[in-house]
Amino acid sequence: MDNLRKVIKCGLMAVVITGMGFLLSILPSSTYVRAQASTASSFITKYKSDVKKASTKYNLYGSVMMAQAGLESGWGQSELTQDANNFFGIKGAYNGQSVSMPTVEYNSNGQMTNTTANFKKYPTAYASFADNGSTLRNGTSWNTNYYSGTWKENAGDYAAAANALTGKYATAPNYGTSLIKIIETYSLDQIFGENGSDGSSSSSTATTDSSDLQDSASTSSNTNSSASTNQPDLTTGQTTKAAVSVNYSHGSGKDLVPLSAKYSKYYVYNHVKGSSQNEKRYSWTSLGVKNRVQVYLDMKATKQGTSGSWYRFRFYPTTKAKKFWVYAPALSFAKTYYGAASGKLVPSRTASGSLYTHILGSPTLSKQTTKLTSLKAKKHYSVNQTALQSTKSGPVLWYRLADGKTKGWIKGTNVLSFPSSIAMVNANGTKTISEAANSSYLYNNATTAITMQKHYKLAQVDLRAGTKVKVDKLGYKVKDKSLWYRIICPNTDTKYWISSKFLS
């Protein structure tokens, strides 16, 4: 069936026809949008409890069900809806009850033709919503999973569920887009509690700060304090909310961070959510993202009165790439461990990197302080900190230079001569001795080189496979790039070093 709702403009008149062909109204086109907004708001208020009950029963998105009902029934104004409580233009009979209605349908040549058909007549509005839910949940006689793409367990958000109806519930190629537009216009996802948390993919309010503020790199921190008053929006019939104040800080644009495992649960915005009346939001799929990718971050923001962070990102390193905003949980920052360090290192002046105010890829975001090519050749620079980042490809080593006016973090791959053979950082966690550790050795010190210290077998210190141990330090051997843990034996204060290969 093709349930596409049509608006045919005739001079100064707008003739509104549902997908099943019912004439809804003839209004001057200049007043149609405002009349629709008022009617839609009343419709949503009147039926939201019925829709919530039916969508919950069949584990469907209430926002999609409400959008469909509004689209198919002309917000309750169609004759079929008023006479038969049929909100979805479903043909047939319900408990033996039906009504015959004239309708406009498309023939095989794509031409509209006038005809008459029987449509289900429902005793109540809820019965219509529940029947729609049953149809989507139970499918067709030839395929019970026909509408499975709309089920909550299969659709990550309402947009995916709406698009799953395209080509199935309706043949119109923009059917899902039409539903999504309705959901966003009337904030249906918020009404049905599908927003989860600030910035989540089920939340509908969009956001923006001014373009000048976004692109300005002259300061490290700015505040956008829009104070517009609440006013009715004649297009949607809703009250426009005042923009919130946001604190911004700039980064170098070199922070490359992967999306988190739950990224798809969050929307992407053109600005920080709630900071402007011009906000727009996008699903990841609409941006062509179907898997976890890495993105470049160049700005961080915090909304006034909240503790959560927002980040501006782009998909490509070039500063001309389009920029978007996303809530922090959609990103996966590498866990970083820090420790005190001493000694001196020699940077590689041939490297194309820089010194940074913070480690690249950390939630604070970094700024470039000094290009490595501008450092003195073969000079030994003092260090005061070291850090290890945990990444999928293994630990990433960093040192912080603190030598007079030369300060900043340098990546280990850009170091020619290291301050020590082992970089040690603080840690706090629990590990388990693995089966592979039965014949391995423990070492009692790592001040210079782990393998040069006195060693013990596990049995000598009453450790065995499966034993849980606390960890208080990590050691990274620069020469072979191996990672070691300092563990604390259970029921004692004795500490030993053990290779990460023997812990899980």
Side-chain angles (χ1 to χ4, degrees):
M1 75 180 76
D2 191 341
N3 295 323
L4 177 62
R5 182 166 166 269
K6 299 288 185 182
V7 177
I8 305 174
K9 290 190 176 180
C10 305
L12 296 178
M13 310 299 284
V15 181
V16 185
I17 302 177
T18 67
M20 301 310 299
F22 301 107
L23 182 65
L24 300 182
S25 58
I26 301 179
L27 297 172
S29 58
S30 61
T31 62
Y32 173 71
V33 171
R34 279 175 288 181
Q36 182 196 37
S38 176
T39 301
S41 296
S42 299
F43 181 92
I44 293 166
T45 299
K46 183 176 181 179
Y47 296 113
K48 64 182 179 182
S49 61
D50 284 340
V51 170
K52 185 171 184 178
K53 182 179 177 182
S55 59
T56 299
K57 179 178 180 179
Y58 294 102
N59 200 31
L60 302 168
Y61 284 94
S63 59
V64 176
M65 184 177 287
M66 180 65 84
Q68 262 200 293
L71 183 66
E72 299 299 335
S73 71
W75 298 111
Q77 301 303 299
S78 75
E79 184 179 353
L80 177 62
T81 300
Q82 295 184 0
D83 290 354
N85 283 318
N86 191 326
F87 290 80
F88 299 91
I90 299 178
K91 293 180 180 179
Y94 182 84
N95 292 336
Q97 299 297 306
S98 65
V99 294
S100 180
M101 289 277 183
T103 183
V104 176
E105 296 183 353
Y106 293 93
N107 61 23
S108 58
N109 295 321
Q111 297 174 318
M112 287 194 300
T113 59
N114 296 314
T115 186
T116 300
N118 289 329
F119 295 87
K120 291 184 178 182
K121 183 176 181 179
Y122 299 95
T124 63
Y126 173 73
S128 178
F129 296 125
D131 192 42
N132 170 259
S134 177
T135 298
L136 298 185
R137 173 56 62 174
N138 299 313
T140 64
S141 58
W142 67 89
N143 184 356
T144 57
N145 293 319
Y146 190 68
Y147 297 114
S148 61
T150 66
W151 304 347
K152 271 190 172 181
E153 63 266 35
N154 295 334
D157 56 21
Y158 71 72
N163 286 325
L165 290 167
T166 303
K168 291 198 171 184
Y169 191 93
T171 58
N174 63 340
Y175 187 69
T177 303
S178 299
L179 295 178
I180 293 169
K181 180 63 176 177
I182 291 173
I183 293 169
E184 294 177 347
T185 298
Y186 300 104
S187 300
L188 296 183
D189 53 336
Q190 287 191 338
I191 289 174
F192 290 100
E194 297 165 2
N195 57 321
S197 62
D198 193 11
S200 79
S201 66
S202 300
S203 134
S204 73
T205 321
T207 59
T208 119
D209 55 279
S210 76
S211 296
D212 290 340
L213 180 59
Q214 278 194 32
D215 296 330
S216 170
S218 59
T219 61
S220 62
S221 178
N222 292 288
T223 301
N224 175 23
S225 304
S226 265
S228 58
T229 56
N230 292 357
Q231 295 182 352
D233 186 329
L234 296 182
T235 302
T236 64
Q238 293 180 304
T239 299
T240 302
K241 295 181 179 179
V244 299
S245 296
V246 182
N247 295 322
Y248 298 89
S249 59
H250 293 266
S252 65
K254 301 291 185 180
D255 293 276
L256 187 60
V257 176
L259 299 180
S260 70
K262 56 183 178 181
Y263 80 93
S264 61
K265 296 182 181 294
Y266 295 86
Y267 280 128
V268 175
Y269 294 86
N270 60 335
H271 299 286
V272 176
K273 181 181 177 183
S275 65
S276 168
Q277 307 300 343
N278 301 320
E279 74 179 24
K280 294 180 182 178
R281 68 176 185 185
Y282 314 87
S283 66
W284 289 97
T285 53
S286 71
L287 300 178
V289 179
K290 298 180 181 179
N291 300 293
R292 293 175 64 187
V293 297
Q294 295 190 100
V295 294
Y296 293 87
L297 310 181
D298 67 357
M299 194 181 293
K300 180 181 180 181
T302 304
K303 292 193 287 188
Q304 190 175 49
T306 67
S307 58
S309 298
W310 289 74
Y311 290 90
R312 193 174 74 170
F313 73 91
R314 55 183 185 264
F315 293 107
Y316 307 100
T318 173
T319 56
K320 294 182 179 180
K322 191 169 183 179
K323 302 175 180 67
F324 303 93
W325 286 90
V326 71
Y327 195 46
L331 301 168
S332 180
F333 291 95
K335 187 171 182 59
T336 306
Y337 303 88
Y338 295 87
S342 60
K344 296 185 177 184
L345 61 75
V346 177
S348 170
R349 294 182 67 252
T350 59
S352 59
S354 300
L355 298 182
Y356 296 92
T357 54
H358 299 283
I359 292 172
L360 288 178
S362 68
T364 309
L365 295 192
S366 65
K367 286 185 183 179
Q368 292 173 294
T369 60
T370 307
K371 290 186 176 181
L372 298 184
T373 52
S374 66
L375 298 179
K376 294 181 179 180
K378 298 181 180 180
K379 175 177 170 61
H380 289 71
Y381 289 86
S382 299
V383 301
N384 65 355
Q385 271 188 291
T386 187
L388 284 177
Q389 272 182 311
S390 177
T391 70
K392 283 187 176 181
S393 57
V396 177
L397 175 63
W398 290 81
Y399 286 99
R400 184 179 184 276
L401 271 62
D403 197 305
K405 294 183 179 180
T406 304
K407 292 181 172 63
W409 287 93
I410 183 173
K411 200 171 184 179
T413 52
N414 293 329
V415 174
L416 295 178
S417 175
F418 294 85
S420 65
S421 60
I422 299 173
M424 283 189 288
V425 295
N426 299 317
N428 183 13
T430 302
K431 288 287 184 177
T432 302
I433 305 293
S434 69
E435 294 288 345
N438 281 331
S439 60
S440 66
Y441 289 105
L442 302 171
Y443 299 88
N444 68 345
N445 205 306
T447 54
T448 55
I450 291 173
T451 55
M452 292 177 64
Q453 309 307 309
K454 186 176 180 180
H455 58 266
Y456 305 86
K457 288 188 176 181
L458 267 67
Q460 290 178 272
V461 294
D462 199 27
L463 287 178
R464 58 186 59 84
T467 303
K468 290 183 181 289
V469 292
K470 290 184 178 180
V471 173
D472 72 346
K473 282 189 181 294
L474 300 178
Y476 181 78
K477 293 180 67 177
V478 174
K479 187 175 182 179
D480 62 9
K481 300 180 180 179
S482 61
L483 183 64
W484 293 70
Y485 287 83
R486 192 170 77 172
I487 62 174
I488 305 173
C489 288
N491 304 316
T492 72
D493 292 328
T494 309
K495 300 178 181 181
Y496 298 97
W497 286 91
I498 185 172
S499 171
S500 62
K501 297 184 295 183
F502 304 129
L503 294 176
S504 60

